Amino acid sequence: MRFELPSLPGGSAGLRAELRAFLAEAGRDWTPAVRARSWMGFDREFSRELGARGWIGMVWPKAYGGHERSGLERVVVLEELLAVGAPVGAHWIGDRQSGPLILRRGTEEQRRKILPGIASGKLAFCIGLSEPEAGSDLAALRTKAERVPGGWKLNGRKIWTTNAHLSDWMIALVRTSPAPEGGSRHAGLSQLLVDLRLSGISIRPIRDLLGEESFNEVTFDDVLLPEDALLGQEGAGWAQATEELALERSGPERYLSSLPALTAGVDALRDVPGADVAVGRMVARLNTLRGMSLSVAGMLEAGEAPAQEAALVKDAGNDFEQRLPEQIRALLEPEDMPEDLRALLADLTQLAPTFSLRGGTREILRGIIARELGLR
Amino acid sequence: MRAIILEQVDRLLAAQSGAAALRRLEAGEWPEELWEALEGLGLPLLLVPEELGGIGLGWADAAAVWQVIGRYAAPAPVAECMLANGLAAAAGIEPRGGFSSFGQTAPFGRFAAQLLLEPAPGRLALHAPGAATPGQNIAREPRDAMTPGPLLAEGALPNSHGPRALRLGHALLRAALIAGAVEHALALAVDWANTRKQFGRALAKFQAIQQQLAVVASEAAAVSVAVSAAARAVDSRGLEGASFEIACAKVVAGEAAQTTAATVHQVFAAIGITEDHELHHTTRRLWSWRDEGGSERAWAGEIGRNTLAQGGAALWPDITARDIS
């Protein structure tokens, strides 16, 4: 594995300043609950505002509503949004993975139809991977699309789909032909663009441990999809989904989920004995994880496909963001915390278990790293 | 240029290092033949500008070389000599031949031809070595208490290196050596896991082993990135200007040293704690080097005090303001 720090583009500092000025205003009334959820939070109006300012689909061609900025400039924007816990969930998936996938694998017509909507913050995407019987063992998925005159007929179920009930589109990984007898289960899978308004789709929210409805079960019952629902190559779904995951795994959202608690914690910990060493260790890790994440961003920008490096960054980053609330709690009695910090920690404590589940569990990621090491 | 030197150092150490050489070193023997070969490559003068007869490479290059040296458990104190000569040259002191060490508790001080000290903030003094009271770290590397001999030369460092250049340089040096040692410990453990069979299959086939070594790989990547970031910052802003990045690197290196040593010993089990096995040369250096040039506790304390003093609102802006474009 290889990590090489990129240099940030010249205008980064100016772009950061622009973002900070905007966020200071836009984020004035964000509660601790909003900031703790950050990229799980769904706020269409805020996403449209970002789209209008050119901060979604930044690297895409202008012909598709993009802005032809560099990938590292895009990371600057992501970092600033996440650092303050902005509610970016309505466009996050589209900007991060669905859009890039459509740009790379989609037809010209698909690009023109969908990408401008994502870039303007109007179209929201969700991820159609997990199923009731296919979690970490994703290739065990059973949702199936058969060719019918004029398109596809889709049947099956996706589950744990974050914000499906609020989204417009799903990119679903489904079986389009049976796995070959004795062959790889990865064969015969394809990705389909599913318009969530179509009839035959029912979306049932699943209440989570916070008492909220953030993820869902999505059922497809003889859903008729048009011919052009196929994204990329028929049968190449596994490879495409893997490629998509490399984009998903190394971004700043993999280590910054708890940053608002550290920001608030620093002010509360000023006079706490021993807090200096503990805070210093967290900051050292934060700065190092940022370097690791930026290294992968630099490689992606150079057209490489650093899938193993991305898995490593996600694993290390999740560990950091998951432990951060606990480390602050270890330094401060609950009754000595300011209300803002207590509220942030209450929500982050309940959200933290998902950090090492979403986008690939810790065990799956470490398995990927182990294979790269020559173990397994 | 860096790639060529890295390859030369790697090839030389692959040929002339190993458990037997490390055993002799730890028994107090000076690695004369290897030292001559390292001098032949010009390594002690890598950080010395060309106009003073050196190679004139930068700190990022030096850190990359130190990482390679760490992979071979530092079979000669050439990293230390690079640092001493580089800093002396930065203070306008012309380099002399032979092994240069530094500090009151000097690495391999008993073998030093000269000793670099920082008698006052920002000022460096080169002394004849004087008397050495032998001591050692837990890797059994000589760490000798020195009574400096006559002053040979002195000079002032540029402001960018600040008032504690030796301590900062030493921290970066140890972090870089740890980065290499962590890599090597991981490689040894991976190799062993693929060789050793229990319950009818290689250890590498057990998920319990895979998952533990994946964590070490993660730490190896973290130290390596932290060291690169620190060395790059020194090239751009001098040692004091890079004190945050150096502190980060030493904290992460110290933590990684602990995790790595514990994990690889668990994977090797009993064979790994035998005198005959090469593993302990690397793990004892991990335990030694994390303490030298400032422990992770010391450097984390410095980072933390600054962070707490600046307040939460400054945390993220301060980190991003250090970006190098």
Side-chain angles (χ1 to χ4, degrees):
Chain A
M1 274 181 273
R2 195 171 64 81
F3 291 85
E4 211 167 294
L5 290 163
S7 296
L8 288 174
S12 305
L15 182 57
R16 249 181 234 293
E18 215 182 311
L19 260 294
R20 281 177 195 164
F22 165 72
L23 290 168
E25 185 60 29
R28 245 188 333 199
D29 299 325
W30 291 338
T31 59
V34 169
R35 285 181 283 134
R37 277 157 192 74
S38 188
W39 59 285
M40 293 284 122
F42 199 99
D43 181 342
R44 276 194 190 263
E45 204 180 316
F46 181 66
S47 288
R48 273 199 294 269
E49 182 67 36
L50 291 179
R53 286 166 188 266
W55 292 331
I56 305 176
M58 284 176 73
V59 303
W60 307 344
K62 289 183 176 161
Y64 309 123
H67 304 280
E68 303 183 3
R69 308 285 288 264
S70 82
L72 291 168
E73 285 178 302
R74 175 176 170 267
V75 173
V76 167
V77 171
L78 303 186
E79 284 184 340
E80 293 305 318
L81 291 168
L82 295 165
V84 295
V88 289
H91 71 274
W92 199 256
I93 306 302
D95 178 70
R96 179 180 72 186
Q97 62 196 86
S98 312
L101 185 64
I102 293 166
L103 186 64
R104 248 198 337 263
R105 303 286 169 190
T107 63
E108 183 59 22
E109 204 191 323
Q110 286 169 334
R111 292 178 193 161
R112 290 195 181 276
K113 180 174 155 193
I114 291 172
L115 293 179
I118 298 178
S120 59
K122 287 175 190 143
L123 285 185
F125 271 71
C126 60
I127 304 172
L129 294 176
S130 294
E131 296 188 5
E133 302 303 326
S136 283
D137 183 12
L138 183 59
L141 62 84
R142 291 179 190 167
T143 298
K144 187 172 75 169
E146 309 164 67
R147 276 197 182 276
V148 292
W152 304 84
K153 191 167 75 181
L154 181 64
N155 278 290
R157 263 190 304 169
K158 292 290 176 185
I159 200 166
W160 320 131
T161 318
T162 301
N163 290 332
H165 59 312
L166 303 172
S167 297
D168 306 295
W169 291 86
M170 171 192 283
I171 293 180
L173 182 66
V174 306
R175 187 156 287 292
T176 45
S177 56
E181 197 76 35
S184 168
R185 293 181 304 158
H186 300 164
L189 300 175
S190 304
Q191 288 185 304
L192 295 177
L193 274 162
V194 182
D195 181 341
L196 292 172
R197 293 167 306 183
L198 291 174
S199 69
I201 298 178
S202 55
I203 301 177
R204 180 180 71 86
I206 303 168
R207 200 169 282 269
D208 63 24
L209 57 74
L210 278 151
E212 294 170 358
E213 291 172 352
S214 65
F215 57 6
N216 301 270
E217 182 179 55
V218 183
T219 307
F220 308 108
D221 187 9
D222 283 341
V223 179
L224 289 174
L225 300 175
E227 196 74 57
D228 69 357
L230 178 68
L231 179 59
Q233 208 185 319
E234 186 177 344
W238 185 264
Q240 288 177 199
T242 307
E243 190 178 279
E244 187 185 340
L245 287 171
L247 301 172
E248 181 192 339
R249 282 181 171 155
S250 60
E253 72 271 35
R254 298 306 181 183
Y255 67 94
L256 285 177
S257 305
S258 300
L259 190 72
L262 182 57
T263 306
V266 161
D267 290 328
L269 289 167
R270 190 182 292 244
D271 300 315
V272 174
D276 53 351
V277 174
V279 167
R281 285 181 191 266
M282 287 187 261
V283 173
R285 285 288 170 176
L286 169 65
N287 193 56
T288 303
L289 282 163
R290 179 164 182 258
M292 295 164 78
S293 175
L294 285 173
S295 297
V296 177
M299 291 162 82
L300 289 169
E301 177 76 352
E304 298 169 45
Q308 289 78 21
E309 286 86 350
L312 188 149
V313 170
K314 173 166 158 28
D315 182 42
N318 291 162
D319 189 56
F320 171 77
E321 59 184 16
Q322 202 163 52
R323 286 196 306 172
L324 195 151
E326 296 300 323
Q327 288 176 303
I328 292 174
R329 183 182 164 274
L331 294 164
L332 213 52
E333 288 300 326
E335 54 270 26
D336 296 334
M337 291 178 187
E339 185 46 38
D340 191 65
L341 177 61
R342 194 166 32 219
L344 272 168
L345 289 182
D347 280 358
L348 283 170
T349 301
Q350 299 174 78
L351 289 161
T354 66
F355 297 170
S356 56
L357 302 175
R358 59 190 185 190
T361 64
R362 170 180 299 133
E363 290 71 23
I364 289 291
L365 299 171
R366 291 185 180 171
I368 292 171
I369 299 167
R371 181 179 294 131
E372 176 71 10
L373 289 175
L375 302 166
R376 299 181 73 181
Chain B
M1 186 70 178
R2 186 198 300 187
I4 296 170
I5 289 190
L6 289 179
E7 205 220 309
Q8 286 175 332
V9 175
D10 195 39
R11 202 170 337 125
L12 174 64
L13 295 181
Q16 296 202 26
S17 184
L22 292 168
R23 228 170 267 136
R24 286 195 300 274
L25 191 78
E26 291 179 15
E29 201 178 300
W30 176 253
E32 187 57 37
E33 199 184 329
L34 175 59
W35 185 261
E36 279 171 20
L38 290 163
E39 274 190 328
L41 293 180
L43 227 51
L45 301 178
L46 184 132
L47 275 168
V48 173
E50 285 175 277
E51 56 272 25
L52 291 177
I55 303 183
L57 293 183
W59 293 84
D61 306 305
V65 171
W66 293 341
Q67 196 166 331
V68 173
I69 293 169
R71 288 214 299 264
Y72 292 93
V78 69
E80 287 86 344
C81 185
M82 283 166 68
L83 176 68
N85 287 344
L87 279 179
I93 301 171
E94 246 182 270
R96 297 158 187 243
F99 169 58
S100 310
S101 188
F102 59 84
Q104 302 287 356
T105 305
F108 294 79
R110 70 193 74 163
F111 301 111
Q114 54 267 326
L115 181 70
L116 188 72
L117 297 173
E118 200 166 11
R123 286 198 69 77
L124 294 181
L126 193 66
H127 287 263
T133 307
Q136 59 182 25
N137 62 17
I138 55 181
R140 287 170 229 144
E141 294 177 302
R143 295 292 185 260
D144 303 329
M146 307 299 287
T147 312
L151 180 69
L152 304 172
E154 59 182 329
L157 284 166
N159 285 337
S160 62
H161 283 328
R164 47 170 185 165
L166 259 183
R167 181 173 168 79
L168 286 165
H170 193 195
L172 176 59
L173 162 78
R174 292 295 160 212
L177 289 175
I178 287 173
V182 165
E183 269 183 79
H184 182 59
L186 174 62
L188 287 175
V190 167
D191 190 49
W192 172 250
N194 277 313
T195 312
R196 171 73 171 170
K197 287 197 174 70
Q198 288 287 276
F199 304 102
R201 52 187 173 145
L203 296 184
K205 301 294 171 205
F206 292 88
Q207 288 192 348
I209 302 288
Q210 295 167 5
Q211 299 269 313
Q212 289 189 64
L213 290 177
V215 174
V216 177
S218 200
E219 287 294 82
V223 193
S224 185
V225 167
V227 166
S228 304
R232 191 163 79 151
V234 180
D235 278 329
S236 154
R237 298 191 293 262
L239 283 162
E240 189 57 39
S243 60
F244 172 73
E245 287 84 356
I246 292 173
C248 288
K250 194 60 174 46
V251 170
V252 172
E255 291 178 351
Q258 190 268 322
T259 304
T260 302
T263 306
V264 298
H265 274 297
Q266 189 66 23
V267 169
F268 270 96
I271 193 82
I273 55 168
T274 59
E275 159 76 5
D276 281 348
H277 199 279
E278 64 174 304
L279 182 66
H280 65 85
H281 294 295
T282 288
T283 53
R284 284 186 295 111
R285 277 161 181 74
L286 287 171
W287 291 318
S288 294
W289 294 344
R290 64 181 177 162
D291 284 345
E292 296 176 340
S295 69
E296 55 271 31
R297 183 187 157 75
W299 286 114
E302 174 169 322
I303 298 170
R305 280 188 297 280
N306 288 336
T307 303
L308 293 172
Q310 296 298 316
L315 170 63
W316 183 254
D318 282 355
I319 285 177
T320 54
R322 308 183 67 87
D323 283 341
I324 296 166
S325 49

